[in-house]
Amino acid sequence: MSMPVAELSELRRRLSRVILVHVALSVGFALLAAGGVSSPAGRAGAFAVPWLVIGAAGALGASLIAAAAWQLRAGLTTGRPPGSRWAVRWEASARLGMALAAAVALAAGVAVAPAGSERGFVIGVDAAVAGALALFALAAGDVRRAARSAERAAASPV
């Protein structure tokens, strides 16, 4: 059975928003990684490793989710089965990788934090940024929800 035009149009619009948001997030995380790479040695160097890990994992994860949404949107346009398992699996893999990278970055932040009065501040900032990546990984799921909506709409009688 085919999907109603209104539902198909809304699903495409929703996936376009997912793509745009995740591309923007990918750029933001890439800038965070660049900040980690360009951190000078010394006091700011304690942020370098965790920010590099968080930025690289966030940029890669957001890019994979955007690619998965693009694949699902293309499948809707060309008439392939809308519930693309490929897209859902890539999103799940990206989410898992980002959550694991957040834990690794937090551990690295604790390991490279300087001794002294600024240790707590460095660990706190690294924990906040790692927590943001972990929350992003938990909140992402738009591709899976869109795939389920497409499957329900395709299965419903017209």
Side-chain angles (χ1 to χ4, degrees):
M1 292 179 203
S2 86
M3 187 180 301
V5 175
E7 289 181 30
L8 184 62
S9 176
E10 175 59 30
L11 194 55
R12 283 185 192 146
R13 228 183 340 266
R14 199 163 91 194
L15 286 170
S16 295
R17 262 182 301 206
V18 169
I19 292 166
L20 289 174
V21 166
H22 284 81
V23 166
L25 285 169
S26 180
V27 169
F29 278 117
L31 290 173
L32 183 66
V37 169
S38 65
S39 291
R43 292 182 184 200
F47 294 116
V49 174
W51 287 13
L52 178 62
V53 171
I54 291 167
L60 181 62
S63 296
L64 286 175
I65 292 171
W70 187 289
Q71 174 70 21
L72 185 59
R73 188 176 187 282
L76 290 172
T77 304
T78 60
R80 288 183 292 183
S84 174
R85 292 184 188 268
W86 179 91
V88 173
R89 286 179 183 161
W90 275 71
E91 182 191 44
S93 299
R95 291 175 67 193
L96 178 63
M98 288 187 295
L100 291 174
V104 168
L106 182 58
V110 171
V112 300
S117 62
E118 61 268 346
R119 181 174 176 80
F121 173 74
V122 169
I123 292 173
V125 170
D126 289 339
V129 177
L133 178 63
L135 286 175
F136 172 57
L138 289 173
D142 299 320
V143 173
R144 184 181 71 240
R145 286 189 290 272
R148 286 185 183 159
S149 295
E151 289 172 353
R152 277 194 302 268
S156 67
V158 178

PDB file of all heavy atoms in Angstrom, residues 49-76:
ATOM      1  N   VAL A  49      42.511  17.090  25.424  1.00  0.00           N
ATOM      2  CA  VAL A  49      42.164  15.694  25.122  1.00  0.00           C
ATOM      3  C   VAL A  49      40.658  15.454  25.233  1.00  0.00           C
ATOM      4  O   VAL A  49      40.050  14.915  24.301  1.00  0.00           O
ATOM      5  CB  VAL A  49      42.962  14.722  26.021  1.00  0.00           C
ATOM      6  CG1 VAL A  49      42.509  13.292  25.825  1.00  0.00           C
ATOM      7  CG2 VAL A  49      44.452  14.849  25.740  1.00  0.00           C
ATOM      8  N   PRO A  50      40.014  15.838  26.342  1.00  0.00           N
ATOM      9  CA  PRO A  50      38.564  15.585  26.407  1.00  0.00           C
ATOM     10  C   PRO A  50      37.777  16.310  25.321  1.00  0.00           C
ATOM     11  O   PRO A  50      36.850  15.738  24.740  1.00  0.00           O
ATOM     12  CB  PRO A  50      38.168  16.095  27.797  1.00  0.00           C
ATOM     13  CG  PRO A  50      39.409  16.133  28.575  1.00  0.00           C
ATOM     14  CD  PRO A  50      40.522  16.377  27.605  1.00  0.00           C
ATOM     15  N   TRP A  51      38.133  17.561  25.027  1.00  0.00           N
ATOM     16  CA  TRP A  51      37.394  18.301  24.006  1.00  0.00           C
ATOM     17  C   TRP A  51      37.628  17.725  22.627  1.00  0.00           C
ATOM     18  O   TRP A  51      36.740  17.740  21.788  1.00  0.00           O
ATOM     19  CB  TRP A  51      37.757  19.777  24.044  1.00  0.00           C
ATOM     20  CG  TRP A  51      37.172  20.484  25.223  1.00  0.00           C
ATOM     21  CD1 TRP A  51      36.592  19.908  26.329  1.00  0.00           C
ATOM     22  CD2 TRP A  51      37.100  21.878  25.422  1.00  0.00           C
ATOM     23  NE1 TRP A  51      36.184  20.872  27.202  1.00  0.00           N
ATOM     24  CE2 TRP A  51      36.482  22.093  26.677  1.00  0.00           C
ATOM     25  CE3 TRP A  51      37.514  22.960  24.687  1.00  0.00           C
ATOM     26  CZ2 TRP A  51      36.250  23.353  27.190  1.00  0.00           C
ATOM     27  CZ3 TRP A  51      37.291  24.229  25.195  1.00  0.00           C
ATOM     28  CH2 TRP A  51      36.662  24.426  26.431  1.00  0.00           C
ATOM     29  N   LEU A  52      38.814  17.223  22.375  1.00  0.00           N
ATOM     30  CA  LEU A  52      39.095  16.578  21.083  1.00  0.00           C
ATOM     31  C   LEU A  52      38.249  15.320  20.934  1.00  0.00           C
ATOM     32  O   LEU A  52      37.635  15.090  19.884  1.00  0.00           O
ATOM     33  CB  LEU A  52      40.582  16.252  20.960  1.00  0.00           C
ATOM     34  CG  LEU A  52      41.007  15.531  19.695  1.00  0.00           C
ATOM     35  CD1 LEU A  52      40.721  16.391  18.476  1.00  0.00           C
ATOM     36  CD2 LEU A  52      42.482  15.183  19.768  1.00  0.00           C
ATOM     37  N   VAL A  53      38.184  14.508  21.983  1.00  0.00           N
ATOM     38  CA  VAL A  53      37.386  13.271  21.936  1.00  0.00           C
ATOM     39  C   VAL A  53      35.901  13.588  21.784  1.00  0.00           C
ATOM     40  O   VAL A  53      35.214  13.013  20.935  1.00  0.00           O
ATOM     41  CB  VAL A  53      37.644  12.418  23.207  1.00  0.00           C
ATOM     42  CG1 VAL A  53      36.672  11.253  23.289  1.00  0.00           C
ATOM     43  CG2 VAL A  53      39.072  11.921  23.232  1.00  0.00           C
ATOM     44  N   ILE A  54      35.411  14.529  22.587  1.00  0.00           N
ATOM     45  CA  ILE A  54      33.991  14.886  22.538  1.00  0.00           C
ATOM     46  C   ILE A  54      33.638  15.509  21.188  1.00  0.00           C
ATOM     47  O   ILE A  54      32.622  15.168  20.577  1.00  0.00           O
ATOM     48  CB  ILE A  54      33.635  15.836  23.689  1.00  0.00           C
ATOM     49  CG1 ILE A  54      33.721  15.090  25.015  1.00  0.00           C
ATOM     50  CG2 ILE A  54      32.248  16.441  23.508  1.00  0.00           C
ATOM     51  CD1 ILE A  54      33.702  15.983  26.232  1.00  0.00           C
ATOM     52  N   GLY A  55      34.481  16.415  20.723  1.00  0.00           N
ATOM     53  CA  GLY A  55      34.216  17.076  19.445  1.00  0.00           C
ATOM     54  C   GLY A  55      34.235  16.116  18.272  1.00  0.00           C
ATOM     55  O   GLY A  55      33.357  16.156  17.414  1.00  0.00           O
ATOM     56  N   ALA A  56      35.240  15.241  18.243  1.00  0.00           N
ATOM     57  CA  ALA A  56      35.331  14.284  17.131  1.00  0.00           C
ATOM     58  C   ALA A  56      34.163  13.297  17.158  1.00  0.00           C
ATOM     59  O   ALA A  56      33.548  13.022  16.122  1.00  0.00           O
ATOM     60  CB  ALA A  56      36.665  13.544  17.188  1.00  0.00           C
ATOM     61  N   ALA A  57      33.845  12.773  18.341  1.00  0.00           N
ATOM     62  CA  ALA A  57      32.742  11.813  18.443  1.00  0.00           C
ATOM     63  C   ALA A  57      31.403  12.476  18.136  1.00  0.00           C
ATOM     64  O   ALA A  57      30.559  11.892  17.448  1.00  0.00           O
ATOM     65  CB  ALA A  57      32.715  11.197  19.837  1.00  0.00           C
ATOM     66  N   GLY A  58      31.208  13.695  18.631  1.00  0.00           N
ATOM     67  CA  GLY A  58      29.956  14.399  18.358  1.00  0.00           C
ATOM     68  C   GLY A  58      29.799  14.741  16.887  1.00  0.00           C
ATOM     69  O   GLY A  58      28.720  14.597  16.323  1.00  0.00           O
ATOM     70  N   ALA A  59      30.889  15.197  16.259  1.00  0.00           N
ATOM     71  CA  ALA A  59      30.820  15.539  14.830  1.00  0.00           C
ATOM     72  C   ALA A  59      30.553  14.294  13.995  1.00  0.00           C
ATOM     73  O   ALA A  59      29.714  14.320  13.084  1.00  0.00           O
ATOM     74  CB  ALA A  59      32.114  16.209  14.390  1.00  0.00           C
ATOM     75  N   LEU A  60      31.247  13.209  14.295  1.00  0.00           N
ATOM     76  CA  LEU A  60      31.035  11.976  13.543  1.00  0.00           C
ATOM     77  C   LEU A  60      29.636  11.421  13.776  1.00  0.00           C
ATOM     78  O   LEU A  60      28.948  11.022  12.834  1.00  0.00           O
ATOM     79  CB  LEU A  60      32.093  10.931  13.910  1.00  0.00           C
ATOM     80  CG  LEU A  60      32.009   9.599  13.195  1.00  0.00           C
ATOM     81  CD1 LEU A  60      32.182   9.783  11.693  1.00  0.00           C
ATOM     82  CD2 LEU A  60      33.033   8.632  13.742  1.00  0.00           C
ATOM     83  N   GLY A  61      29.197  11.417  15.035  1.00  0.00           N
ATOM     84  CA  GLY A  61      27.863  10.898  15.349  1.00  0.00           C
ATOM     85  C   GLY A  61      26.757  11.713  14.707  1.00  0.00           C
ATOM     86  O   GLY A  61      25.819  11.159  14.123  1.00  0.00           O
ATOM     87  N   ALA A  62      26.854  13.036  14.794  1.00  0.00           N
ATOM     88  CA  ALA A  62      25.834  13.892  14.185  1.00  0.00           C
ATOM     89  C   ALA A  62      25.842  13.744  12.668  1.00  0.00           C
ATOM     90  O   ALA A  62      24.789  13.756  12.029  1.00  0.00           O
ATOM     91  CB  ALA A  62      26.057  15.351  14.588  1.00  0.00           C
ATOM     92  N   SER A  63      27.027  13.585  12.077  1.00  0.00           N
ATOM     93  CA  SER A  63      27.114  13.381  10.620  1.00  0.00           C
ATOM     94  C   SER A  63      26.479  12.057  10.214  1.00  0.00           C
ATOM     95  O   SER A  63      25.785  11.983   9.194  1.00  0.00           O
ATOM     96  CB  SER A  63      28.573  13.413  10.166  1.00  0.00           C
ATOM     97  OG  SER A  63      29.132  14.671  10.398  1.00  0.00           O
ATOM     98  N   LEU A  64      26.712  11.012  10.990  1.00  0.00           N
ATOM     99  CA  LEU A  64      26.108   9.714  10.679  1.00  0.00           C
ATOM    100  C   LEU A  64      24.585   9.766  10.801  1.00  0.00           C
ATOM    101  O   LEU A  64      23.871   9.176   9.986  1.00  0.00           O
ATOM    102  CB  LEU A  64      26.674   8.628  11.596  1.00  0.00           C
ATOM    103  CG  LEU A  64      28.092   8.169  11.287  1.00  0.00           C
ATOM    104  CD1 LEU A  64      28.576   7.185  12.345  1.00  0.00           C
ATOM    105  CD2 LEU A  64      28.174   7.542   9.913  1.00  0.00           C
ATOM    106  N   ILE A  65      24.088  10.472  11.814  1.00  0.00           N
ATOM    107  CA  ILE A  65      22.639  10.585  11.968  1.00  0.00           C
ATOM    108  C   ILE A  65      22.043  11.393  10.815  1.00  0.00           C
ATOM    109  O   ILE A  65      20.982  11.046  10.282  1.00  0.00           O
ATOM    110  CB  ILE A  65      22.285  11.188  13.340  1.00  0.00           C
ATOM    111  CG1 ILE A  65      22.659  10.201  14.452  1.00  0.00           C
ATOM    112  CG2 ILE A  65      20.806  11.537  13.424  1.00  0.00           C
ATOM    113  CD1 ILE A  65      22.554  10.756  15.851  1.00  0.00           C
ATOM    114  N   ALA A  66      22.733  12.460  10.400  1.00  0.00           N
ATOM    115  CA  ALA A  66      22.262  13.240   9.248  1.00  0.00           C
ATOM    116  C   ALA A  66      22.268  12.384   7.989  1.00  0.00           C
ATOM    117  O   ALA A  66      21.329  12.445   7.179  1.00  0.00           O
ATOM    118  CB  ALA A  66      23.134  14.480   9.056  1.00  0.00           C
ATOM    119  N   ALA A  67      23.303  11.560   7.806  1.00  0.00           N
ATOM    120  CA  ALA A  67      23.363  10.673   6.639  1.00  0.00           C
ATOM    121  C   ALA A  67      22.253   9.623   6.693  1.00  0.00           C
ATOM    122  O   ALA A  67      21.654   9.290   5.659  1.00  0.00           O
ATOM    123  CB  ALA A  67      24.727   9.997   6.559  1.00  0.00           C
ATOM    124  N   ALA A  68      21.957   9.124   7.878  1.00  0.00           N
ATOM    125  CA  ALA A  68      20.876   8.145   8.016  1.00  0.00           C
ATOM    126  C   ALA A  68      19.525   8.779   7.691  1.00  0.00           C
ATOM    127  O   ALA A  68      18.691   8.175   7.016  1.00  0.00           O
ATOM    128  CB  ALA A  68      20.872   7.571   9.428  1.00  0.00           C
ATOM    129  N   ALA A  69      19.322  10.006   8.156  1.00  0.00           N
ATOM    130  CA  ALA A  69      18.071  10.711   7.837  1.00  0.00           C
ATOM    131  C   ALA A  69      17.979  10.999   6.346  1.00  0.00           C
ATOM    132  O   ALA A  69      16.906  10.888   5.740  1.00  0.00           O
ATOM    133  CB  ALA A  69      17.988  12.019   8.634  1.00  0.00           C
ATOM    134  N   TRP A  70      19.104  11.345   5.741  1.00  0.00           N
ATOM    135  CA  TRP A  70      19.146  11.590   4.296  1.00  0.00           C
ATOM    136  C   TRP A  70      18.773  10.314   3.545  1.00  0.00           C
ATOM    137  O   TRP A  70      18.009  10.347   2.577  1.00  0.00           O
ATOM    138  CB  TRP A  70      20.540  12.057   3.905  1.00  0.00           C
ATOM    139  CG  TRP A  70      20.661  12.507   2.484  1.00  0.00           C
ATOM    140  CD1 TRP A  70      20.629  11.720   1.371  1.00  0.00           C
ATOM    141  CD2 TRP A  70      20.821  13.833   2.009  1.00  0.00           C
ATOM    142  NE1 TRP A  70      20.776  12.475   0.246  1.00  0.00           N
ATOM    143  CE2 TRP A  70      20.897  13.780   0.621  1.00  0.00           C
ATOM    144  CE3 TRP A  70      20.929  15.062   2.649  1.00  0.00           C
ATOM    145  CZ2 TRP A  70      21.065  14.919  -0.157  1.00  0.00           C
ATOM    146  CZ3 TRP A  70      21.102  16.185   1.874  1.00  0.00           C
ATOM    147  CH2 TRP A  70      21.166  16.104   0.486  1.00  0.00           C
ATOM    148  N   GLN A  71      19.329   9.191   3.984  1.00  0.00           N
ATOM    149  CA  GLN A  71      19.040   7.901   3.341  1.00  0.00           C
ATOM    150  C   GLN A  71      17.557   7.561   3.463  1.00  0.00           C
ATOM    151  O   GLN A  71      16.940   7.128   2.491  1.00  0.00           O
ATOM    152  CB  GLN A  71      19.899   6.804   3.983  1.00  0.00           C
ATOM    153  CG  GLN A  71      19.591   5.406   3.516  1.00  0.00           C
ATOM    154  CD  GLN A  71      20.006   5.142   2.098  1.00  0.00           C
ATOM    155  OE1 GLN A  71      20.842   5.837   1.559  1.00  0.00           O
ATOM    156  NE2 GLN A  71      19.430   4.131   1.499  1.00  0.00           N
ATOM    157  N   LEU A  72      17.002   7.769   4.637  1.00  0.00           N
ATOM    158  CA  LEU A  72      15.584   7.473   4.835  1.00  0.00           C
ATOM    159  C   LEU A  72      14.714   8.398   3.990  1.00  0.00           C
ATOM    160  O   LEU A  72      13.746   7.962   3.369  1.00  0.00           O
ATOM    161  CB  LEU A  72      15.218   7.605   6.309  1.00  0.00           C
ATOM    162  CG  LEU A  72      13.793   7.215   6.692  1.00  0.00           C
ATOM    163  CD1 LEU A  72      13.506   5.769   6.313  1.00  0.00           C
ATOM    164  CD2 LEU A  72      13.583   7.431   8.173  1.00  0.00           C
ATOM    165  N   ARG A  73      15.079   9.679   3.928  1.00  0.00           N
ATOM    166  CA  ARG A  73      14.330  10.637   3.106  1.00  0.00           C
ATOM    167  C   ARG A  73      14.422  10.273   1.624  1.00  0.00           C
ATOM    168  O   ARG A  73      13.436  10.357   0.896  1.00  0.00           O
ATOM    169  CB  ARG A  73      14.854  12.048   3.340  1.00  0.00           C
ATOM    170  CG  ARG A  73      14.018  13.108   2.695  1.00  0.00           C
ATOM    171  CD  ARG A  73      14.544  14.499   3.059  1.00  0.00           C
ATOM    172  NE  ARG A  73      13.682  15.550   2.597  1.00  0.00           N
ATOM    173  CZ  ARG A  73      13.615  15.987   1.339  1.00  0.00           C
ATOM    174  NH1 ARG A  73      14.379  15.447   0.411  1.00  0.00           N
ATOM    175  NH2 ARG A  73      12.796  16.943   0.996  1.00  0.00           N
ATOM    176  N   ALA A  74      15.600   9.862   1.185  1.00  0.00           N
ATOM    177  CA  ALA A  74      15.761   9.445  -0.210  1.00  0.00           C
ATOM    178  C   ALA A  74      14.930   8.200  -0.504  1.00  0.00           C
ATOM    179  O   ALA A  74      14.364   8.062  -1.588  1.00  0.00           O
ATOM    180  CB  ALA A  74      17.234   9.187  -0.518  1.00  0.00           C
ATOM    181  N   GLY A  75      14.841   7.303   0.451  1.00  0.00           N
ATOM    182  CA  GLY A  75      14.015   6.106   0.275  1.00  0.00           C
ATOM    183  C   GLY A  75      12.546   6.446   0.133  1.00  0.00           C
ATOM    184  O   GLY A  75      11.820   5.807  -0.623  1.00  0.00           O
ATOM    185  N   LEU A  76      12.111   7.467   0.849  1.00  0.00           N
ATOM    186  CA  LEU A  76      10.714   7.897   0.727  1.00  0.00           C
ATOM    187  C   LEU A  76      10.459   8.505  -0.646  1.00  0.00           C
ATOM    188  O   LEU A  76       9.407   8.326  -1.231  1.00  0.00           O
ATOM    189  CB  LEU A  76      10.387   8.935   1.806  1.00  0.00           C
ATOM    190  CG  LEU A  76      10.321   8.436   3.232  1.00  0.00           C
ATOM    191  CD1 LEU A  76      10.177   9.605   4.186  1.00  0.00           C
ATOM    192  CD2 LEU A  76       9.199   7.449   3.410  1.00  0.00           C
TER     193      LEU A  76
END
